[in-house]
């Protein structure tokens, strides 16, 4: 705080020094080359300091704020270039001051980037909108103000040369332009509070004093007493110093960094949504385009300027319609594209939401059924163990008759089957095997699972092709559980293909968006109802062949490893099961590969 106060004193002292030096030059240096040179050089140097003060704030990651300060500084650079040209003409070429000076256009144009800076609305949060928007908006602003200048001022320079008309037209459009800047800053100040309100109020002050300066210069010219070394320039000097002060104030005052703080101070006030900003500039673009025929009409019917000037102005108006129209349409096109992108993004998020909801429902369903089944399986397990034990005793007892032993063996067989089923139920209810996780190479496990089935497929019209991608990262999982999942999916596919007289099961592995993906695609008849296959007890297999628990267990196991499992029927026929497992991060990132590339990488035919 103390530091800030001290630097304000420094700023005030610098103000008094510069203004004092200028007034001293005007008052005490005798009229002549020395006075003109000194005052002009001072005006050339001041924008340099202003630039420095403004650019201090441009070091920020926020593109809105960065562009805002850079555009203000760019305006200053243009002003300085105009001043250097002027100084060259007056001091070096000794041109009389009241002359037709073509470099005036630079003085005029220097305010355009400053108006563009305001359209950035740096008080808003930065969104990820296309930077092309800003170029187009800037182009529109520049084109329109350039058109105004060429329309109003240039005819008096090149069509019907007239010093007085030229200077008056220049001063009027420049004053209007700076008034627009001041009004824009005042408008933004009314819309905001806190930090940014302060900045906008100061900028409105800068614009107002600059406009006032232009009016006093006009007054001086009217009195034919104007030169760069007269006191008429003091307001312009003050406006430059004030602009530098804005940069210093912005640097000294802490800007609220968090969104919460900004909201508290009301700086994200009305119209925060980025579309408000774009609607605002879109309206300006429309107005700029619509103003052309109106100005053209006034030129033809209402203007009292000489015929040559009117012809020139109509030509300029027609010429301006082209770039302005092009930019307005380009902007329209950009807005359309942006809307399409947003629409697509919202569709995507709705799809994701739906998928998430389905997965959530599935997990909930499995969890509640799992609880019920787990409890029941525990209860069944105890008497079952007794049945199995006693039936084994009976079946192995040589003292009892053949017939009774046969019956005991049948009881033992059925009890074992039931125990298998109960074990399945327990593992579905997640009360079975504890897991031992390790970093695993999925390619090896996939190949092993496929090999398990390879032998008993001999003589059948069924093949399993494994296409593993080389260099995919490892996953962290329980090897037995992964083997169980892969074997179950392969067995299902083989069963489905056996039913349809043969086929090919292709197993592919790949790396995609941080996940190791395993795809099982068979050429069987496809699933009857893909939405039901993960439901417990859903089976289309005959009694004794399937329990309908395999895939529900797989679902739980894959989820336990932090992965996802899904399935779909391919349009060309056959079912595909897709498993995604999170890859273990490695020191060397793996480039994502396309399926085609992976298929080529390591095709291993297993049957
Ligand atoms: P089960 O194999 O005991 O029937 P699962 O949960 O493993 O239980 O499978 C459930 C059902 O999903 C199967 O009965 C079958 O209808 C269907 N299914 C699974 N994989 C395939 C496949 N590759 N092709 C066709 N249907 C399949």
């Amino acid at each position: 705080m103390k530091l800030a106060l001290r630097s304000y004193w420094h700023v005030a002292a610098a103000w008094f020094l510069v203004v004092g030096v200028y007034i001293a030059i005007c008052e005490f240096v005798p009229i002549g080359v020395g006075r003109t040179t000194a005052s002009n050089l001072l005006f050339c140097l001041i924008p340099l300091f202003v630039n420095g003060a403004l650019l201090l704030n441009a070091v920020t990651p926020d593109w809105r704020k960065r562009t805002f300060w850079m555009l203000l500084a760019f305006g200053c650079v243009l002003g300085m270039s105009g001043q250097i040209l002027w100084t060259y003409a007056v001091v070096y070429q000794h041109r009389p001051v009241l002359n037709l000076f073509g470099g005036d256009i630079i003085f005029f144009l220097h305010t355009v980037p400053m108006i563009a800076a305001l359209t950035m609305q740096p008080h808003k949060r930065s969104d990820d909108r296309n930077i092309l928007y800003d170029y187009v908006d800037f182009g529109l602003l520049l084109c329109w103000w350039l058109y105004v200048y060429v329309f109003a001022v240039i005819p008096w320079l090149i069509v019907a040369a007239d010093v007085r008309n030229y200077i008056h037209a220049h001063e009027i459009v420049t004053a209007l332009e700076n008034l627009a800047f001041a009004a824009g800053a005042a408008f933004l100040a009314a819309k905001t509070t806190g930090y940014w309100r302060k900045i906008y109020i100061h900028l409105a002050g800068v614009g107002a004093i600059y406009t006032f300066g232009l009016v006093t210069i006009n007054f001086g010219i009217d009195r034919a007493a104007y030169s760069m070394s007269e006191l008429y320039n003091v307001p312009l000097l003050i406006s430059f110093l004030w602009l530098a002060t804005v940069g210093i104030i912005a640097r000294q005052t802490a800007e609220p960094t968090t969104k919460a703080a900004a909201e508290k101070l009301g700086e994200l006030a009305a119209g925060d949504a980025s579309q408000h900003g774009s609607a605002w500039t879109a309206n300006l673009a429309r107005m700029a385009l619509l103003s052309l025929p109106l100005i053209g009409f006034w030129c033809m019917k209402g203007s009292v300027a000489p015929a040559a000037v009117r012809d020139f102005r109509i030509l300029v108006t027609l010429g301006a319609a082209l770039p302005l129209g092009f930019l307005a349409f380009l902007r329209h096109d950009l807005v359309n594209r942006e809307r399409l992108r947003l629409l697509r993004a919202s569709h995507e998020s709705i799809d994701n939401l739906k998928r998430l909801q389905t997965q959530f429902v599935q997990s909930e369903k499995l969890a509640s059924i799992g609880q019920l089944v787990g409890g029941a399986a525990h209860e069944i397990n105890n008497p079952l163990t007794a049945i199995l034990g006693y039936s084994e005793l009976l079946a192995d007892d040589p003292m009892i008759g053949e017939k009774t032993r046969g019956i005991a063996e049948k009881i033992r067989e059925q009890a074992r089957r039931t125990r298998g089923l109960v074990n399945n139920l327990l593992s579905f209810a997640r009360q079975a095997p504890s897991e031992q996780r390790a970093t695993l190479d999925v390619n090896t496990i996939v190949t092993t699972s496929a090999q398990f089935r390879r032998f008993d497929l001999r003589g059948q019209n069924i093949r399993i092709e494994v296409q593993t991608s080389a260099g995919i990262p490892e996953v962290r999982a329980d090897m037995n559980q992964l083997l169980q999942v892969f074997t179950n999916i392969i067995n299902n596919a083989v069963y489905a293909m056996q039913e349809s007289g043969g086929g090919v099961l292709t197993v592919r592995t790949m790396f995609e968006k941080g996940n190791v993906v395993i795809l099982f695609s068979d050429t069987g008849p496809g699933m009857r109802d893909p939405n039901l296959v993960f439901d417990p007890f859903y089976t289309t297999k005959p009694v004794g062949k399937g329990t309908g628990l395999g895939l529900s267990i797989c679902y739980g196991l894959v989820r336990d490893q932090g992965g996802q499992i899904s399935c779909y029927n391919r349009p060309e026929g056959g079912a595909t099961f897709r498993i995604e497992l999170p890859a273990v991060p490695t020191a060397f990132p793996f480039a994502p590969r396309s399926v085609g590339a992976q298929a080529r990488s390591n095709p291993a035919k297993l049957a």
Side-chain angles (χ1 to χ4, degrees), residues 488 492-493 496 522 526-527 533 538-541 546-551 577:
N488 195 90
N492 277 343
D522 64 54
M527 292 160 283
V533 295
Y538 170 79
T539 180
T540 53
K541 293 176 187 166
T547 56
L549 282 173
L551 286 176
F577 281 80

Side-chain angles (χ1 to χ4, degrees), residues 21 73 97 164 218 281 317 443 490 493 534 546 594 601:
V21 166
V97 174
R164 201 150 275 279
N218 217 1
T281 29
T317 307
N443 286 344
I490 292 174
F534 295 113
S594 70
S601 59

